Amino acid sequence: MTVAQGVWTIGRILKWTEQFFREKGIESPRLDAEVLLAHLLHKERIFLYVHFDEPLEQTELAHFHEMVKQRVARVPVAYILGEKEFMGLTFRVTPATLVPRPDTEVLVQAAIERLQALGRPCMFADIGTGSGAICLSVLHFTEGTQAATVDISPEARAVAEENAAALGLAERVQFYTGDLLAPLTGQQFTAILSNPPYIPEAEEATLQAEVRLSEPHTALAGGADGLDFYRRLCAEGPAMLEPGGFMAFEVGAGQAAAVAEMAEANPLIKRTETIKDLAGIERVVVAYRG
């Protein structure tokens, strides 16, 4: 990227970056260019169109140059920015955490609706919390709820704790570092939520470069068939639910039936249901304890 020739206005740098990203195979070249530049300038994206002929300062060009280099190296935009919006909230993200995705909002909305319907204070667990996006979003949109979160990564836990403080939710959540449900032994919950690793081994090599090269492998790999973590959650989770409580899991495409069958194999589970995402894919499995 050469930025020494002539005056680089917002419009010119966007056009150049869009073309550069396209040549490098970036999936959404224009959008990524706009998001990066708007973040650098601390402005909304609409500002770029209203001020397209405004020149950039040399320091701004230099910083933008570094952002562009990271993006063509397949660093996800969220990691370059250090944040991602989810459920209308802003979460800090780092390479220690997965980037929150819109599909996961289906799980969060399902949890919010079911906890609100109970009409009483509830305690839920979020297993594999990462950035805390699931747990903290549910807390934000429900009253009287408290949560316990677990992640095997101390670095991810630190990010989640930072997000809880930033959102004013730190007093309503307890953080644990450990393996799935193990740190919560002896506790009972109204709900257990999880978006566990569910990518089958054979599919790992087919993931987008941004995911395969940058996001934490331990948060993606679900074993030979992608279902290793669901087996453990369905075996151990129901005994930690209050009577009438539920487990809700995000699942990969084509996995819902198998996960529902695992849950129903536990004698404490009386029924299951699946919820589709906006693309019509069965995205969430909910299992209810009797």
Side-chain angles (χ1 to χ4, degrees):
M1 179 180 180
T2 303
V3 294
Q5 299 171 344
V7 176
W8 285 88
T9 62
I10 286 175
R12 185 184 177 198
I13 199 71
L14 281 177
K15 184 176 180 180
W16 189 96
T17 305
E18 177 185 4
Q19 181 62 32
F20 186 59
F21 281 170
R22 182 172 283 110
E23 292 170 357
K24 297 296 182 180
I26 299 299
E27 196 169 275
S28 50
R30 180 69 183 193
L31 176 62
D32 287 5
E34 291 180 4
V35 169
L36 292 173
L37 187 56
H39 182 83
L40 175 68
L41 299 176
H42 305 288
K43 303 291 186 181
E44 298 294 327
R45 280 168 55 207
I46 188 64
F47 174 91
L48 306 178
Y49 288 90
V50 178
H51 298 83
F52 68 94
D53 57 352
E54 185 173 307
L56 295 173
E57 298 176 0
Q58 284 302 313
T59 54
E60 293 170 337
L61 283 171
H63 288 146
F64 190 64
H65 180 200
E66 292 305 312
M67 297 170 89
V68 169
K69 283 170 58 179
Q70 290 184 68
R71 188 68 191 99
V72 297
R74 289 302 195 277
V75 177
V77 170
Y79 289 160
I80 299 173
L81 304 185
E83 63 184 36
K84 178 70 173 179
E85 184 178 295
F86 179 83
M87 292 293 294
L89 305 172
T90 299
F91 290 87
R92 179 171 181 260
V93 293
T94 76
T97 68
L98 281 183
V99 176
R101 290 161 168 78
D103 288 342
T104 304
E105 294 189 357
V106 180
L107 169 61
V108 172
Q109 193 60 47
I112 290 170
E113 291 171 358
R114 283 154 184 78
L115 292 172
Q116 287 178 333
L118 294 173
R120 59 177 174 80
C122 299
M123 179 76 171
F124 68 91
D126 175 28
I127 308 303
T129 197
S131 66
I134 293 172
C135 167
L136 299 174
S137 295
V138 174
L139 287 174
H140 179 82
F141 290 106
T142 56
E143 293 184 10
T145 49
Q146 294 189 321
T149 76
V150 180
D151 202 288
I152 199 166
S153 163
E155 293 81 10
R157 170 182 168 167
V159 174
E161 288 184 307
E162 187 175 329
N163 283 324
L167 293 168
L169 297 168
E171 293 183 359
R172 293 170 58 190
V173 56
Q174 294 176 293
F175 294 89
Y176 297 85
T177 302
D179 185 27
L180 290 186
L181 293 161
L184 306 180
T185 300
Q187 298 190 48
Q188 290 273 295
F189 301 96
T190 303
I192 296 173
L193 314 177
S194 186
N195 176 21
Y198 58 67
I199 305 299
E201 284 179 2
E203 294 181 17
E204 289 181 31
T206 69
L207 294 172
Q208 270 189 321
E210 286 82 351
V211 177
R212 189 177 69 254
L213 300 176
S214 297
E215 300 200 56
H217 183 261
T218 55
L220 295 166
D225 61 359
L227 302 176
D228 283 1
F229 292 92
Y230 299 106
R231 291 187 179 91
R232 293 178 58 192
L233 289 167
C234 289
E236 303 167 17
M240 299 175 72
L241 288 174
E242 302 169 355
F246 65 91
M247 303 187 299
F249 307 137
E250 179 176 332
V251 298
Q255 294 178 333
V259 174
E261 185 177 343
M262 290 177 198
E264 291 167 357
N266 191 303
L268 293 175
I269 297 299
K270 68 174 183 178
R271 68 183 179 92
T272 61
E273 66 174 319
T274 59
I275 303 170
K276 295 180 179 179
D277 61 21
L278 293 176
I281 297 170
E282 292 182 324
R283 184 59 64 188
V284 172
V285 173
V286 185
Y288 298 88
R289 174 170 175 166

